[in-house]
Amino acid sequence: MTRPTLLAAAAAARLAEAGVPSARFDAEVLLAEALGTDRGRLPIADDATPEQIVAYEALLARRADREPLQHILGRAYFGPLTLAVGPGVFVPRPETELLAAWAAGQAGCGAAIVDLCAGSGALGLYLAATVPDARVVLVERDPRAVDYLRRNAAGAALAGTATVLEADVRDPGLADRLTELLGTVDLVVTNPPYVPDGAELDREAAADPALALFSGADGLDLIRDLATLAARLLAGGGAVGVEHDDSNGAGTAALLRAAGFGGVAEHRDLAGRPRYVTGRMDP
């Protein structure tokens, strides 16, 4: 028989043997993809055809080889968003949604928001989709990532506006360009490269582009520059949120304080790991 539930059970065992941590979930998601249905409908789906089984086997082989699930599907889910992703752009992680939710709580209607090191656009587009009349600028330097970013910005259902700016956050003239564009910036968010050089990564994490991962011997090189840039952008008053490596909560907080931010707070994710730091700039 080719019942979907039986196919998924066998596939989950295969993926678990290959070391995939979310074997059952991934097996079901890929089966739903091969069948052209939703994962929740698998128990009532029709038997798989021989052609669908062949397609499923091809997807499973890629996942068993530890190709990221999001690369196989060509998409990642982040809050209300479905983002195009693939080789060349950082795949957003669920834990970053905590920073996104914090940021949405800081932004009032019509807020001017800058997402630095935007990648696929997860943070900035989340805010453009959830904050009414928000004016969001997403800054990214990697041309490969910018391609995904533009596609995601064009395809998202937004409550505000989203503008993509291809630029390096270390460009000394960037703050002037952004201030000229937005007027007064109310909120800066960033999930920058923050992995210390030489850190060991599992195969799936290593599938993300190195440019989006590594940031000097301690992982703080780019955050040093971002703290100063954020302070300039928020000179009229506003909030900043920065995601960081789980070894660098205190280091990130110190950099924000040194840049002039007050009310600096360290936040943990649902697993209890240090995840992001926030601060405020008074007018």
Side-chain angles (χ1 to χ4, degrees), residues 96-197:
T96 303
E97 292 186 33
L98 297 173
L99 173 56
W102 171 86
Q106 306 300 308
C109 181
I113 302 168
V114 178
D115 179 1
L116 299 171
C117 305
S120 67
L123 279 172
L125 293 177
Y126 179 107
L127 295 169
T130 57
V131 178
D133 299 322
R135 294 167 292 143
V136 182
V137 172
L138 304 104
V139 183
E140 174 57 48
R141 67 170 173 168
D142 186 342
R144 298 178 303 164
V146 169
D147 288 342
Y148 286 100
L149 178 54
R150 293 190 192 281
R151 193 187 322 169
N152 289 327
L158 305 178
T161 63
T163 302
V164 174
L165 179 60
E166 186 172 355
D168 191 331
V169 297
R170 289 177 165 174
D171 176 359
L174 179 58
D176 293 332
R177 291 172 65 188
L178 290 171
T179 301
E180 188 175 277
L181 180 63
L182 288 175
T184 301
V185 177
D186 301 302
L187 175 66
V188 173
V189 292
T190 180
N191 180 14
Y194 55 63
V195 178
D197 290 348

Side-chain angles (χ1 to χ4, degrees), residues 21-34:
S22 51
R24 182 74 191 199
F25 174 84
D26 290 12
E28 292 177 351
V29 168
L30 292 174
L31 180 56
E33 186 77 3

Side-chain angles (χ1 to χ4, degrees), residues 11-108:
R14 174 180 170 185
L15 293 182
E17 186 176 354
V20 175
S22 51
R24 182 74 191 199
F25 174 84
D26 290 12
E28 292 177 351
V29 168
L30 292 174
L31 180 56
E33 186 77 3
L35 297 182
T37 189
D38 296 324
R39 175 173 170 250
R41 294 187 60 82
L42 289 177
I44 59 173
D46 292 335
D47 287 358
T49 67
E51 293 78 14
Q52 289 171 331
I53 293 173
V54 169
Y56 187 38
E57 284 294 325
L59 297 176
L60 286 175
R62 294 170 64 185
R63 190 67 185 105
D65 196 40
R66 303 304 299 275
E67 183 177 350
L69 178 67
Q70 297 86 351
H71 285 192
I72 297 171
L73 298 174
R75 61 185 182 271
Y77 301 102
F78 189 86
L81 305 173
T82 301
L83 300 169
V85 296
V89 69
F90 182 82
V91 174
R93 283 18 177 201
E95 53 266 29
T96 303
E97 292 186 33
L98 297 173
L99 173 56
W102 171 86
Q106 306 300 308

